[in-house]
Amino acid sequence: MSTHRIHHDLYRGPKLLADPGNGGTIRVNKDLQICEMVSVGADETRILNAPTKAGIRFVLRMLTDGGDIVVTAAAGLNSSLETEATYADASDFMSLVSVSLTATTYRWEILEGNVGTVVSSATPSATPSATPSATPSATPSATPSATPSATPSATPSATPSATPSHSPS
């Protein structure tokens, strides 16, 4: 591999990590891999091995939906150390990066994913999840909505008004 072509050669390298099937273990051993899981029956499981170093990026996606797949990552999937992700529909996915848990152990951290993937603990956690919920909240969100509101805003608009303003002279 020539040093001036490293990025190109890495890009062209194999990225697909084979789905180990029901009860199998997903062993991520390279950066920038994707495992597309295929479920053929209800209530399948996979185990996601803990990473071996920090900085590995990985995508886990349900390619074919024949039933739910519960993926367990014993070292955790987020800062709350939740360990299970349930994939219910085709195209449910999580983009992960490996991070340090201690000086010698690593865990996965969710970079992004869709709301169809539910992240939880094997036992109920006392700490809230950082993963978005598919259930609407009764409390208002601090994040602005992309959908226009039907009620007028009390905040002045940054757009100039179409009606000219007249000031007395």
Side-chain angles (χ1 to χ4, degrees):
M1 184 181 325
S2 173
T3 55
H4 71 283
R5 293 176 30 121
I6 289 174
H7 183 24
H8 175 73
D9 291 341
L10 288 172
Y11 175 76
R12 292 178 46 89
K15 303 293 181 217
L16 187 60
L17 183 61
D19 176 14
N22 187 25
T25 300
I26 301 167
R27 291 171 172 56
V28 182
N29 55 12
K30 296 178 190 169
D31 192 27
L32 302 174
Q33 288 185 304
I34 182 171
C35 179
E36 295 186 305
M37 301 177 293
V38 174
S39 68
V40 292
D43 303 324
E44 290 191 9
T45 62
R46 308 285 191 279
I47 297 169
L48 179 58
N49 259 17
T52 55
K53 64 182 179 179
I56 299 170
R57 292 160 296 173
F58 174 63
V59 174
L60 192 54
R61 176 178 178 258
M62 180 187 264
L63 178 65
T64 305
D65 179 10
D68 290 0
I69 300 174
V70 176
V71 177
T72 303
L77 291 165
N78 55 27
S79 59
S80 298
L81 299 180
E82 292 173 312
T83 57
E84 292 185 346
T86 302
Y87 292 76
D89 299 306
S91 293
D92 281 358
F93 82 98
M94 285 189 316
S95 178
L96 306 162
V97 65
S98 59
V99 296
S100 299
L101 186 57
T102 68
T104 57
T105 58
Y106 307 93
R107 67 170 178 82
W108 295 105
E109 179 74 27
I110 301 170
L111 293 173
E112 64 180 329
N114 60 8
V115 294
T117 305
V118 179
V119 178
S120 62
S121 297
T123 55
S125 172
T127 53
S129 169
T131 307
S133 169
T135 317
S137 171
T139 55
S141 170
T143 312
S145 171
T147 344
S149 171
T151 54
S153 170
T155 311
S157 173
T159 352
S161 172
T163 315
S165 163
H166 296 287
S167 59
S169 349

